[in-house]
Amino acid sequence: GLQAIRCPPGLYFDIEAQTCNWKDQVNNCNKKNKDRRAKPLLATEEPICQEDYLACGDTTCIPRKQFCDGTEQCADGSDEASCGLYFDIEAQTCNWKDQVNNCNKKNKDRRAKPLLATEEPICQEDYLACGDTTCIPRKQFCDGTEQCADGSDEASCDINNDPNRAPVCNPEICTIPECFCSLDGTAVPGNLDPQKIPQMVTLTFDDAVNVANIELYNEIFNGQRVNPNGCGMKATFFVSHKYTNYSAVQDMHRRGHEIASHSITRITWPVEIPHVFQGSSSVMALSNVLMAQMRLPVVSGFCLHFGMDINNDPNRAPVCNPEICTIPECFCSLDGTAVPGNLDPQKIPQMVTLTFDDAVNVANIELYNEIFNGQRVNPNGCGMKATFFVSHKYTNYSAVQDMHRRGHEIASHSITHTNNETFWSHASIDDWAREMAGSRIIIEKFANITDNSVVGLRAPYLRVGGNNQFTMMEEQAFLYDSTVTAPLTNPPLWPYTLYFRMPHACYGNLQNCPTRSHAVWEMVMNELDMREDPTFDESLPGQF
Ligand SMILES: [Zn+2]
């Protein structure tokens, strides 16, 4: 998922500034660590420190939460030495420097496209045309090897374009028990009514089974937690080899759990943070939560997440009631796609909200001037405006003042923008107030904004802060948040008020969405539909 991304696509991590930036602004891209500091001892066979502590490079133990918190507590600084990620332009994701070997590339190569949809076929049967009109066998398209001279056979391979793509579901051919499919994936085998069948939850755990988690697993599977039919609760353990205690795995299998493969080499992400700690800290929450309150665990690549589910929070927000919730104070709809005023979605123009995050300074002012040069206007002739979610560090407030003067909206994006992403998920109400109301005070004072127009905020790294964030927003009189993202839907979602329940699932494995009523608007971010032009993102330097 996108949740772990530290740098938006196209940006590089500046290890000195500890922030993402344009490549030509980052001149330390070949440095792995600030000042080549000692590494912490995180992945030792036996833990060096007691629970919730981790070892510095010199084996002293400090609290785990002091790692990567922006302050060096280890004498050798090693607690802050393994925190920076780099952007992998090929993989379109952030990774540790030694995993990224294309650090000097700024753009993904633009490859030629195959000629698949020509009016008359160019090639004989079972052959298709490369971008240069040469014909190669159809099965060589999207096979992972470039056979066209221009590489175009591998350049258009998503599920809508791969010439060898799988057929759509055919329930006539595909029958239980050998096969099951449905067009949207939600049909129930045997055509049962989803309302009438019990929810099934698959409990899974990833990575090494060893001293760091065996006790926890014993606690979870202590025989007290049973299925409605009285049978004991079982799980699937996806076991990776390194650090695994196989006699413990044998015991798990003996007790009826399923064992499954999760690789020998344990291609870790991120490599220097041990899975066992990541995993156990999240799973830890489970032991304190009744099974009935447990949310379906989702695998996020390296840890499981359990949180308060909007369907189970006893104080959850009510479902949308359009009788009570009326424009302009309130707007909601059950699935989020209704249009205010009951207008027909087909008949209203598409609205696009343009937003920019982080510091405004010499690194981007010219770009903003270029974008907002007055040439780009709305269909009604009014100039194009944007919202700038401004973080404090490195911000030039006279530039912010100028943006505001020119009609753009200024909003809060925190003071510290701390790169400890989990901080934002679990920050207290006071922390949120310090960061966001504090940021607003600074903006208003330094950029001399006196019209009370700083009313919105966005959490760093798009980490939704749950009920704490939104409680703070009410207390501090923020009007809207723009951190929540929604899965791809057609039509996309409208902004909604969080007095009523969110009209879509909490999107993103690591997100902590609000469950309760808050008098706050959500300017929800809809996922960009890339299917019309899969190459669209190549020219986009940032993420929406
Ligand atoms: Zn940011």
Side-chain angles (χ1 to χ4, degrees):
L2 289 167
Q3 298 69 36
I5 289 185
R6 216 173 269 257
C7 300
L11 299 187
Y12 290 74
F13 192 74
D14 186 318
I15 194 78
E16 299 294 343
Q18 289 287 301
T19 184
C20 293
N21 208 334
W22 301 99
K23 172 67 172 75
D24 57 358
Q25 306 294 322
V26 180
N27 48 23
N28 48 37
C29 207
N30 55 348
K31 274 181 86 171
K32 185 164 179 180
N33 293 306
K34 225 169 156 176
D35 305 333
R36 298 210 168 277
R37 286 177 299 191
K39 290 302 189 79
L41 303 172
L42 299 182
T44 51
E45 292 225 0
E46 295 294 319
I48 295 172
C49 308
Q50 66 187 92
E51 210 180 318
D52 290 331
Y53 282 70
L54 289 174
C56 300
D58 59 6
T59 75
T60 42
C61 295
I62 68 167
R64 183 152 61 94
K65 63 174 190 287
Q66 295 186 347
F67 277 74
C68 301
D69 67 349
T71 309
E72 292 182 4
Q73 285 95 354
C74 290
D76 57 10
S78 57
D79 53 324
E80 303 300 318
S82 293
C83 308
L85 298 183
Y86 290 74
F87 191 71
D88 186 319
I89 194 82
E90 297 297 341
Q92 286 286 302
T93 185
C94 289
N95 205 338
W96 298 100
K97 173 66 172 77
D98 55 4
Q99 307 291 321
V100 180
N101 50 22
N102 50 36
C103 211
N104 55 349
K105 275 181 79 172
K106 188 164 181 179
N107 292 306
K108 229 169 145 177
D109 294 331
R110 268 192 181 274
R111 286 185 297 189
K113 298 288 176 192
L115 302 172
L116 299 181
T118 51
E119 293 221 0
E120 295 293 317
I122 295 173
C123 309
Q124 66 187 95
E125 211 181 319
D126 290 332
Y127 281 71
L128 289 173
C130 301
D132 59 5
T133 73
T134 44
C135 294
I136 67 167
R138 168 190 287 265
K139 65 176 193 293
Q140 294 187 347
F141 277 76
C142 303
D143 67 349
T145 308
E146 292 183 1
Q147 282 97 354
C148 290
D150 58 8
S152 58
D153 53 323
E154 303 299 320
S156 191
C157 292
D158 65 41
I159 191 137
N160 295 304
N161 290 299
D162 180 348
N164 302 300
R165 61 188 175 273
V168 295
C169 168
N170 181 344
E172 309 280 296
I173 300 175
C174 178
T175 55
I176 288 285
E178 291 79 20
C179 183
F180 182 68
C181 68
S182 70
L183 282 176
D184 70 351
T186 65
V188 179
N191 282 323
L192 298 174
D193 177 358
Q195 302 301 322
K196 295 191 180 150
I197 55 169
Q199 184 185 28
M200 278 181 268
V201 176
T202 306
L203 206 53
T204 69
F205 299 89
D206 293 357
D207 305 336
V209 175
N210 59 30
V211 64
N213 47 40
I214 289 170
E215 295 249 327
L216 178 69
Y217 293 147
N218 286 340
E219 161 58 27
I220 295 171
F221 301 101
N222 61 2
Q224 305 297 303
R225 297 179 177 88
V226 294
N227 285 294
N229 66 357
C231 294
M233 184 175 77
K234 305 296 178 201
T236 301
F237 290 84
F238 290 90
V239 176
S240 55
H241 173 62
K242 201 171 175 188
Y243 307 126
T244 280
N245 174 336
Y246 284 95
S247 82
V249 174
Q250 180 177 25
D251 192 46
M252 289 294 184
H253 176 251
R254 183 187 60 70
R255 288 153 67 186
H257 300 294
E258 181 187 6
I259 309 299
S261 284
H262 193 52
S263 90
I264 293 176
T265 56
R266 200 188 65 148
I267 299 167
T268 49
W269 166 269
V271 273
E272 280 135 330
I273 296 177
H275 280 210
V276 286
F277 291 111
Q278 289 275 359
S280 63
S281 66
S282 332
V283 175
M284 205 69 82
L286 176 64
S287 52
N288 298 323
V289 176
L290 292 174
M291 290 309 291
Q293 294 178 328
M294 199 185 75
R295 159 168 145 176
L296 192 68
V298 278
V299 179
S300 69
F302 59 86
C303 69
L304 300 166
H305 177 69
F306 301 95
M308 186 61 85
D309 188 305
I310 196 155
N311 294 308
N312 291 304
D313 182 346
N315 303 301
R316 63 188 175 273
V319 295
C320 168
N321 180 344
E323 310 279 295
I324 301 176
C325 181
T326 54
I327 288 285
E329 290 79 22
C330 183
F331 182 69
C332 67
S333 72
L334 283 175
D335 70 351
T337 65
V339 180
N342 283 322
L343 297 174
D344 177 357
Q346 301 302 321
K347 295 189 181 152
I348 55 168
Q350 183 183 30
M351 277 181 266
V352 175
T353 306
L354 206 54
T355 70
F356 298 88
D357 292 358
D358 304 336
V360 175
N361 58 32
V362 65
N364 46 42
I365 289 170
E366 296 248 329
L367 178 68
Y368 293 147
N369 286 339
E370 162 57 29
I371 295 172
F372 301 101
N373 61 2
Q375 305 298 301
R376 298 179 176 89
V377 294
N378 285 293
N380 66 358
C382 294
M384 181 175 78
K385 304 295 178 202
T387 300
F388 291 85
F389 291 94
V390 175
S391 54
H392 173 63
K393 202 172 174 186
Y394 306 126
T395 280
N396 175 334
Y397 286 94
S398 82
V400 174
Q401 181 174 19
D402 192 45
M403 288 296 184
H404 176 251
R405 184 187 59 74
R406 287 153 67 187
H408 299 295
E409 182 188 5
I410 309 300
S412 287
H413 191 53
S414 88
I415 295 176
T416 67
H417 204 288
T418 179
N419 61 10
N420 175 3
E421 295 179 29
T422 54
F423 168 84
W424 301 102
S425 295
H426 305 293
S428 67
I429 296 171
D430 282 350
D431 286 337
W432 275 105
R434 271 190 286 274
E435 289 283 359
M436 295 301 181
S439 156
R440 180 174 56 190
I441 290 169
I442 293 171
I443 290 168
E444 290 178 340
K445 195 171 178 67
F446 289 6
N448 194 28
I449 294 176
T450 56
D451 57 2
N452 293 320
S453 62
V454 182
V455 294
L457 66 80
R458 174 173 286 165
Y461 308 105
L462 302 185
R463 286 290 195 130
V464 185
N467 291 317
N468 284 350
Q469 176 193 337
F470 291 87
T471 301
M472 177 283 291
M473 291 181 68
E474 279 182 294
E475 290 176 359
Q476 304 292 334
F478 278 99
L479 180 65
Y480 76 88
D481 169 72
S482 185
T483 305
V484 173
T485 52
L488 191 60
T489 55
N490 187 10
L493 301 182
W494 278 81
Y496 49 84
T497 31
L498 282 163
Y499 179 78
F500 295 97
R501 206 173 302 179
M502 281 170 57
H504 58 90
C506 187
Y507 189 40
N509 298 336
L510 300 172
Q511 292 295 31
N512 180 15
C513 291
T515 55
R516 303 190 172 184
S517 280
H518 303 283
V520 173
W521 284 82
E522 181 57 47
M523 293 291 289
V524 61
M525 275 178 282
N526 287 285
E527 186 177 325
L528 193 62
D529 190 342
M530 310 289 284
R531 288 174 297 188
E532 288 174 4
D533 182 3
T535 64
F536 188 51
D537 70 323
E538 293 180 22
S539 53
L540 279 179
Q543 78 182 46
F544 275 22

